[in-house]
């Protein structure tokens, strides 16, 4: 059974074509890393898969159900880079993790919630920080709390957005270890990153997004690691470039030829 | 002589308690969503409702309720359909609301213009018996909806994307929150006044979050500050014979200043346990200095 399937997915943002004809099928138990330079549309693809961004054409299926009819959200957990509301109203670590248990099917708290939250925090090694304010933690610890929130859902698939960007080395290893365990217990992991880093030994499959010449971004490589020699350029050559103009959202031509 | 002996004061106290309880509960979600000024926009729209009531002779409270709720829906539609930024859409609604209110009131008659002041800054003596019933009904509805959807709203305001992946209908919930804010504004219209009602949604939250360590504690603290300030403000305004709105809001602001002063030593103590805070809060896709880490050599 495929957990995530994209069939010729195209995504446009403001009339600019971000992704063209992305086809991808991810099975249960796979550990897939989507790689690509900034602007290659990897975050866009992730958001399209999660239904956070409309697909212009093509189809996304989750657990063999078209995205528009998919309701079984308890099976998918998403870890963003940072919380949207960070720094507004104080929230405790416990509340951030507990929030992931809330859904239209579970409007009221349940008896076992507290132990679920504590168990999830224990998995990322932060159970002693449960009563602290979320914004009092370091960037790496905050990421681990968000991962604990995802783990508390006990989902089948984890979708991770740059899980190690801006995270200290100790937390990076902790995060990689956590998802190694999840993979070993049969969970599916889809991570979007521009650098594999500590995950390089975990990924069973990598998908490289990028442009051929001046065309829109699409799948350049889909297979086992490592990234083929001729593509390393289009994934990693950009470092300085991206620091200079990070927020172009992929609208600029980067001419990443191969 | 006790202030409770006056019928109008009893009604005003009921109205004040209602707004002191409900406004901070809505306000905390608005602050979390970074829409602290939304209540002001809704207040201006409700003013158009009041103007319409003057002109047509309809009852002001239900008319303002309907107009404010419609304004809330229009605001959310403008935000969703066009690419107008949230604060720009809010500004448009702001201007439309206050212009409409003043224009309609001027069309109505001369005496309506002086009555307008009571709606802008609150008034002790004008809470009619039928108003109290409307306010109670609206308050109960808001509390019931909060009780039912409150936890989903917490998840939605914490992070809408994550909430979406939990199956929460974030767009609908956002519209619901805006409509609830509009209804709350009308509940506060009589006592605090439309120009200041948003303050009683936001200032108690700002005060409570100085000292709170969690969302729940902030909510409880904000309700305590909100209730205490509305009731104390109302009594003070009766004693001093001044409009209740400014009195209530100044008390809430005083509570904020006190909380902020108490918070200074607490924050200093927190800073004594330094955490390696990363400076990347402004970046969206992990670009920035943190990307220059060793990854490259691993792949080349």
């Amino acid at each position: 059974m495929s957990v995530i399937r994209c069939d010729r997915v195209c995504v446009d943002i403001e009339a600019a074509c971000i992704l063209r004809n992305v086809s991808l099928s991810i099975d249960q138990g796979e550990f897939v890393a989507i790689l690509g330079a900034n602007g290659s549309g990897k975050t866009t693809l992730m958001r399209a898969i999660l239904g956070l961004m409309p697909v212009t054409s093509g189809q996304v299926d989750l657990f063999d159900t078209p995205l528009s009819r998919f309701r079984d959200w308890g099976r998918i957990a998403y870890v963003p880079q940072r919380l949207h509301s960070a720094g507004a109203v104080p929230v405790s670590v416990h509340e951030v993790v507990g929030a992931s248990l809330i859904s239209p099917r579970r409007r009221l708290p349940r008896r076992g919630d507290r132990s679920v939250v504590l168990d999830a925090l224990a998995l990322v090694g932060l159970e002693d920080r449960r009563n602290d304010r979320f914004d009092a933690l370091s960037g790496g610890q905050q990421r681990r709390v968000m991962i604990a929130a995802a783990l508390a859902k006990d989902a089948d698939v984890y979708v991770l957005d740059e899980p190690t960007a801006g995270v200290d080395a100790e937390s990076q290893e902790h995060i990689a270890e956590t998802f190694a365990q999840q993979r070993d217990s049969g969970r599916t992991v889809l991570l979007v990153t521009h650098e594999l880093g500590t995950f390089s030994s975990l990924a069973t499959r990598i998908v490289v997004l990028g442009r051929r010449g001046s065309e829109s971004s699409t799948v350049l490589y889909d297979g086992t690691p490592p990234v083929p020699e001729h593509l390393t350029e289009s994934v990693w050559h950009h470092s300085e470039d991206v620091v200079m103009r990070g927020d172009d959202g992929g609208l600029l031509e980067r001419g990443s030829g191969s | 002589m006790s202030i409770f002996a006056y019928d109008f004061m009893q009604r005003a106290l009921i109205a004040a308690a209602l707004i002191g309880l409900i406004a901070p509960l809505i306000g905390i979600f608005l602050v979390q969503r970074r829409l602290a000024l939304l209540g002001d926009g809704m207040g201006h729209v409700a003013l158009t409702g009041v103007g319409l009531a003057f002109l047509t002779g309809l009852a002001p409270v239900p008319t303002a309720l309907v107009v404010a709720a419609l304004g809330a829906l229009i605001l959310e539609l403008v935000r969703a359909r066009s690419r107008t930024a949230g604060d720009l859409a809010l500004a448009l609604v702001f201007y439309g609301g206050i212009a409409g209110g003043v224009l309609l009131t001027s069309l109505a008659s001369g005496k309506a213009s002086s009555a307008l002041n009571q709606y802008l800054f609150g008034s002790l003596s004008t809470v009619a018996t039928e108003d109290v019933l409307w306010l109670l009904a609206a308050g109960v509805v808001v509390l019931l909806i909060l009780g039912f959807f409150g936890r989903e709203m917490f998840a939605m305001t914490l992070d809408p994307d994550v909430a979406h992946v939990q199956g929460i209908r974030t767009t609908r919930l956002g519209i619901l929150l805006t409509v609830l804010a509009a209804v709350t504004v009308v509940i506060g219209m009589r006592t605090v006044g439309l120009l200041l009602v948003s303050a009683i949604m936001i200032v108690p939250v700002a005060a409570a979050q100085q000292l709170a360590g969690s969302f729940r504690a902030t909510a409880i603290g904000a309700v305590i500050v909100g209730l205490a300030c509305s009731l104390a403000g109302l009594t003070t305004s009766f004693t001093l014979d001044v409009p209740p709105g400014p009195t209530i809001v100044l008390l809430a602001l005083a509570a904020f200043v006190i909380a902020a002063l108490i918070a200074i030593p607490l924050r200093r103590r927190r800073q004594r346990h330094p955490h390696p805070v990363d400076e990347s809060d402004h970046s969206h896709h992990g670009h920035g200095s943190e990307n220059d880490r060793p990854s490259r050599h691993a792949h080349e």
Side-chain angles (χ1 to χ4, degrees), chain B:
Chain B
M1 182 162 173
S2 163
I3 58 169
F4 298 102
Y6 298 96
D7 278 355
F8 75 89
M9 269 311 280
Q10 285 174 5
R11 293 195 293 267
L13 281 169
I14 291 172
L18 212 52
I19 194 65
L21 168 72
I22 292 171
L25 288 176
I26 297 292
I28 192 169
F29 291 117
L30 299 182
V31 174
Q32 183 79 314
R33 239 184 144 197
R34 300 185 194 283
L35 284 173
L37 293 176
L38 185 90
D40 283 306
M42 293 298 104
H44 288 59
V45 175
L47 194 64
T48 297
V50 172
L52 193 66
F54 283 150
L55 194 62
T56 56
L58 293 166
V61 171
T63 312
L65 267 177
V66 171
V67 171
L70 281 177
L73 282 175
I74 292 171
L75 174 71
E76 286 291 333
L77 284 180
V78 169
R79 271 152 49 95
R81 299 289 153 161
S82 68
R83 297 195 180 277
T84 316
D87 62 338
L88 189 59
L90 201 54
L92 298 176
V93 171
F94 238 85
Y95 306 139
I98 199 146
V102 173
L103 191 75
L104 290 175
T105 311
S106 310
L107 284 177
S109 73
K111 88 174 194 317
S113 292
S114 62
L116 194 62
N117 248 345
Q118 299 175 347
Y119 287 91
L120 287 175
F121 301 108
S123 160
L124 286 178
S125 52
T126 54
V127 186
T129 314
E130 59 164 75
D131 284 348
V132 173
L133 293 178
W134 274 106
L135 300 184
L136 277 174
V140 168
V141 168
V142 171
L143 286 175
L144 282 178
I145 292 177
L146 271 186
F148 193 69
F149 289 108
R151 276 163 51 86
E152 272 179 90
M153 268 182 195
F154 168 65
M156 187 261 294
T157 55
L158 191 64
D159 192 298
D161 291 351
V162 174
H164 168 88
V165 180
Q166 282 158 223
I168 293 171
R169 304 295 192 94
T170 51
T171 312
R172 292 183 197 178
L173 215 52
I175 294 171
L176 181 64
L177 179 58
T178 307
V179 172
L180 288 184
V183 173
T184 307
V185 159
V186 177
I187 295 175
M189 174 171 85
R190 286 298 206 179
T191 41
V192 192
L194 289 172
L195 278 188
L196 289 171
V197 64
S198 178
I200 202 74
M201 301 172 105
I202 303 305
V203 180
V205 176
Q209 74 175 20
Q210 300 298 316
L211 302 170
S214 68
F215 194 85
R216 174 186 290 266
T218 309
I220 293 170
V223 166
I224 291 171
V225 172
L227 269 176
C229 292
S230 352
L231 294 178
L234 203 67
T235 358
T236 313
S237 95
F238 175 80
T239 320
L240 300 180
D241 194 21
V242 289
T247 324
I248 292 172
V249 171
L250 284 175
L251 278 175
L253 282 170
F256 168 77
V257 170
I258 293 167
L261 288 176
I262 297 172
I264 291 172
L266 291 178
R267 200 170 298 143
R268 206 170 286 154
R269 202 188 314 156
R270 204 178 296 144
Q271 279 167 356
R272 233 176 283 150
H273 311 286
H275 296 294
V277 176
D278 54 31
E279 301 294 328
S280 60
D281 276 1
H282 56 278
S283 71
H284 293 298
H285 299 287
H287 47 69
S289 56
E290 78 266 27
N291 295 339
D292 297 334
R293 258 174 306 104
S295 60
R296 296 186 64 159
H297 64 82
H299 309 282
E300 288 180 356

Side-chain angles (χ1 to χ4, degrees), chain A residues 136-157:
Chain A
L137 304 186
S138 75
Q141 289 169 332
Q142 291 187 0
R143 200 72 59 94
R144 277 153 71 187
V145 171
M146 290 188 272
I147 287 168
L151 295 174
K153 275 181 88 175
D154 195 25
D156 297 320
V157 192

Side-chain angles (χ1 to χ4, degrees), chain A residues 6-244:
Chain A
C6 300
D7 185 22
R8 285 162 293 159
V9 167
C10 302
V11 180
D12 295 349
I13 300 177
E14 308 234 6
C17 172
I18 306 297
L19 285 173
R20 265 295 155 265
N21 283 324
V22 173
S23 292
L24 189 66
S25 182
I26 297 171
D27 291 332
Q28 195 182 340
E30 284 196 281
F31 196 119
V32 183
I34 298 183
L35 298 168
N38 271 62
S40 64
K42 56 190 190 309
T43 304
T44 303
L45 177 61
M46 179 196 71
R47 293 180 66 80
I49 287 172
L50 294 172
L52 294 169
M53 185 169 274
V55 168
T56 312
S57 66
Q59 168 130 350
V60 176
D61 288 348
L62 298 175
F63 297 97
D64 295 324
T65 308
L67 188 57
S68 55
R69 285 195 276 123
F70 183 76
R71 295 287 176 272
D72 207 0
W73 289 105
R75 303 187 73 177
I76 301 184
Y78 164 55
V79 182
Q81 285 198 55
R82 58 184 57 81
L83 285 183
H84 193 260
S85 62
V89 177
V91 281
S92 69
V93 167
H94 197 286
E95 286 174 329
V96 170
V97 179
S100 69
L101 299 176
I102 301 166
S103 78
R105 294 178 184 181
R106 302 192 47 170
R107 287 207 167 92
L108 299 174
R110 291 190 189 170
R111 192 167 280 271
D113 283 359
R114 192 181 153 75
S115 64
V116 170
V117 168
L118 293 183
D119 289 350
L121 277 170
L123 281 176
V124 299
L126 287 172
E127 65 272 36
D128 54 328
R129 306 296 299 271
R130 63 182 176 275
N131 291 324
D132 287 6
R133 273 173 67 150
F134 181 72
D135 57 5
L137 304 186
S138 75
Q141 289 169 332
Q142 291 187 0
R143 200 72 59 94
R144 277 153 71 187
V145 171
M146 290 188 272
I147 287 168
L151 295 174
K153 275 181 88 175
D154 195 25
D156 297 320
V157 192
Y158 293 96
V159 179
L160 317 174
D161 186 8
E162 301 272 8
T164 53
V167 172
D168 54 284
E170 185 210 330
S171 286
Q172 279 198 30
E173 289 193 5
H174 219 294
I175 291 168
E177 202 179 298
T178 305
F179 285 106
Q181 285 167 9
Q182 294 301 318
R183 184 197 58 180
D184 293 344
S185 61
R187 291 344 189 330
T188 312
V189 179
L190 173 67
L191 85 105
V192 166
T193 185
H194 63 278
E195 50 163 22
L196 269 175
T198 42
F199 284 99
S200 50
S201 58
L202 294 177
T204 56
R205 176 176 162 196
I206 51 178
V207 175
V208 179
L209 292 182
R211 296 190 180 86
R212 285 195 185 86
S214 60
E215 288 171 26
S216 304
S217 201
T218 189
V219 176
L220 296 180
Y221 175 78
D222 182 353
T224 50
V227 178
E229 195 92 343
H230 68 283
L231 287 177
T232 49
E233 263 298 285
S234 66
V235 180
W236 287 289
H237 81 103
H238 62 279
S239 285
E240 285 159 12
D241 198 30
V242 166
V243 174
M244 297 303 291

